[in-house]
DNA sequence: GGACATTGTTGATCCAGATCAGCAACCGTT
DNA sequence: AACGGTTGCTGATCTGGATCAACAATGTCC
């Protein structure tokens, strides 16, 4: 029980319009607030939930960043997503009440815990909440579809360009700079997520740097030419679809 | 309005335990039944919904098979999934009330249409239905995670083995032979789904045939050595995780 | 502040699967 | 049954990114 617990609430949370509470009435927010738990922050490398562990809650990121990954521990794991403040994770456990992937903090991170049974009950009583949850689930599925499209159709250069452009958009929506940010994940994790090797990612950063598209300094990235970067996302041809992502 | 409409019901549907109705009381089933629409069957190649079209329902496959795909029409499309009887599709539209991918029948197929607004309302009133829907959504996300793992970590041989083994399991659950079945999709679609080219898939079929793992005749496939096939799924090493899929 | 592990970069080589190309089997149509 | 059109098979070649290897930069722990 710390002071943070007392001060933080969905009502005041500046992420609420990205997160589950969006669109709820004040009274409804109160009821949601009532089931939210706010455990102590995770430090870099700490596990939020583990593959095979029982599923009892979904989580909203409040600060920091997390990754989820699945797969054999023998180094053949696959990173399935990175989660930023305002994003929901843990949905994969809904199937069998077991998590099928592991969630780990990439840096010091706070999450809000939404016990799933209570959340379900609340969804029955608050149609707006159910609707919002469905939307966020739909978004999650859509993001995964984009990722599959990338893995199946895009070459290495396109993948990194897409990653940078969509990450920039996500930072922008959260009120951060879209042109200058810190990558919360290692090169290794980034490469794994993109279905590439760290060496390839490193070379691509080098090429983008040489071509004046970006500047990098360790985990800091500065996007110098967003429009050219967007063009790269779809290969030489059509740059239409991705432009939409940028709003 | 045809005779089929009168005779078919969730109550009698032998797929109901795979599908949304599973676990519902008879009275609850009645209410679900009440919102289900059963449009005329789709013929091969016909579109169930189209990317960019408005989302107003999710669909349960009653017979046949469908594929969904996203991406630019310029031949860079990516097939995201194949759907068999008892499976739900259309969830990707929940985000923005717009479908982001296109669903097409691979062969003559019947679907049950579940208007989403009505389904949502019903979920508020029937907790068991909401719970079931969440489970099926969780399964969908889990399947996509498996697919991403495959795209990121598996080589061509492993991919085809995984595909055959999991497809066999899906047929088995539906009461069909798990060792002998017809592939509803073309080699082109299969290759695209697996992130490969038709040539590579064809060569793999050839190799599997030569090694006595399968027999093929056009779209007919016979699995001759399931255990060896399962072994191939995880590469030379651990065959543990995939074995679970087979039940 | 120095030793050592970890992470990232760069260069040289290799290979799984793509690409290109030709052909065979099957389709529905007249 | 002759036909173009589609789909699948197989062989030859090419290439993007993996792999192997060395090294540089950074961080961490005494």
């Amino acid at each position: 029980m710390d002071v943070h617990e007392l001060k933080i609430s969905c009502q005041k949370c500046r992420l609420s319009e990205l997160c589950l509470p969006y669109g709820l009435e004040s009274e409804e927010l109160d009821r949601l607030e009532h089931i939210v738990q706010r455990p102590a922050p995770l430090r870099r490398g700490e596990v939020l939930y583990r593959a095979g562990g029982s599923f009892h809650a979904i989580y909203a990121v409040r600060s920091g960043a997390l990754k989820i990954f699945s797969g054999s521990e023998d180094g053949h794991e696959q990173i399935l997503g990175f989660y930023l403040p305002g994003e929901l994770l843990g949905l994969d456990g809904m199937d069998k009440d077991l998590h099928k992937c592991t969630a780990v903090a990439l840096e010091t991170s706070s999450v809000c815990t939404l016990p799933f049974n209570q959340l379900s009950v609340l969804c029955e009583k608050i149609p707006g909440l159910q609707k919002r949850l469905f939307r966020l689930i739909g978004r999650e599925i859509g993001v995964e579809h984009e990722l599959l499209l990338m893995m199946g159709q895009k070459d290495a250069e396109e993948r990194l360009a897409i990653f940078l452009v969509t990450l920039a958009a996500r930072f922008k929506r959260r009120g951060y700079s879209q042109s200058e940010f810190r990558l919360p994940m290692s090169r290794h994790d980034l490469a794994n997520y993109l279905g590439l090797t760290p060496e390839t990612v490193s070379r691509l950063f080098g090429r983008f740097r040489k071509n004046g598209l970006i500047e990098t300094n360790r985990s800091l990235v500065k996007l110098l030419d967003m429009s050219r970067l967007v063009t790269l996302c779809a290969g030489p041809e059509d740059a239409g679809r991705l432009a939409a992502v940028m709003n």
Side-chain angles (χ1 to χ4, degrees), chain A residues 171-212:
Chain A
F171 280 130
K172 185 185 180 188
R173 290 199 58 181
R174 281 156 188 79
Y176 302 121
S177 168
Q178 71 170 320
S179 61
E180 205 166 350
F181 44 81
R182 208 179 55 76
L183 297 179
M185 74 292 292
S186 69
R187 292 286 190 276
H188 175 87
D189 282 352
L190 174 53
N192 179 291
Y193 174 71
L194 296 175
L196 303 169
T197 55
E199 292 94 326
T200 299
V201 170
S202 183
R203 281 182 245 276
L204 286 169
F205 272 119
R207 195 193 308 172
F208 284 4
R209 221 181 300 121
K210 197 185 65 178
N211 293 354

Side-chain angles (χ1 to χ4, degrees), chain A residues 70-142:
Chain A
S70 75
S72 23
E73 311 300 317
D74 62 347
H76 276 223
E77 68 186 38
Q78 175 64 37
I79 294 179
L80 301 164
F82 300 112
Y83 292 84
L84 299 182
E87 294 174 335
L88 241 49
L89 70 163
L91 295 165
D92 69 296
M94 291 191 304
D95 178 12
K96 298 197 196 321
D97 293 338
L98 289 177
H99 285 290
K100 283 187 307 232
C101 56
T102 301
V104 172
L106 293 169
E107 58 191 46
T108 302
S109 303
S110 309
V111 300
C112 297
T113 301
L114 300 150
F116 192 65
N117 285 336
Q118 295 176 59
L119 183 62
S120 299
V121 172
L122 219 49
C123 280
E124 291 156 21
K125 296 177 181 162
I126 307 177
L129 179 61
Q130 189 195 57
K131 182 161 187 172
R132 181 65 183 160
L133 180 55
F134 280 142
R135 274 194 198 284
L136 290 177
I137 290 170
R139 178 175 309 173
E140 181 74 10
I141 291 174

Side-chain angles (χ1 to χ4, degrees), chain A residues 3 16 23 30 34 40 44 54 63 87 95 99 124 151 169-171 179 188-189 205 212-213 220 223 230:
Chain A
V3 284
S16 65
D30 268 342
H34 205 256
R44 178 184 161 82
S54 72
S63 70
E87 294 174 335
D95 178 12
H99 285 290
E124 291 156 21
M151 294 294 240
R170 284 159 81 194
F171 280 130
S179 61
H188 175 87
D189 282 352
F205 272 119
L213 291 164
L220 254 47
L223 307 187
V230 170

Side-chain angles (χ1 to χ4, degrees), chain A residues 161 164-165 168 178-180 208-209 211-215 221-233 246:
Chain A
L164 290 173
V165 168
Q178 71 170 320
S179 61
E180 205 166 350
F208 284 4
R209 221 181 300 121
N211 293 354
L213 291 164
I214 62 173
E215 279 174 10
V221 177
K222 189 170 182 176
L223 307 187
L224 299 175
D225 191 338
M226 183 62 86
S227 65
R228 209 139 49 92
L229 221 35
V230 170
T231 308
L232 280 186
C233 289
M246 292 306 299

Side-chain angles (χ1 to χ4, degrees), chain A residues 1-10 12-13 33 38:
Chain A
M1 189 73 226
D2 65 355
V3 284
H4 292 91
E5 176 109 12
L6 296 172
K7 288 161 71 178
I8 299 166
S9 75
C10 292
K12 295 182 199 151
C13 182
E33 185 67 49
R38 299 200 171 81

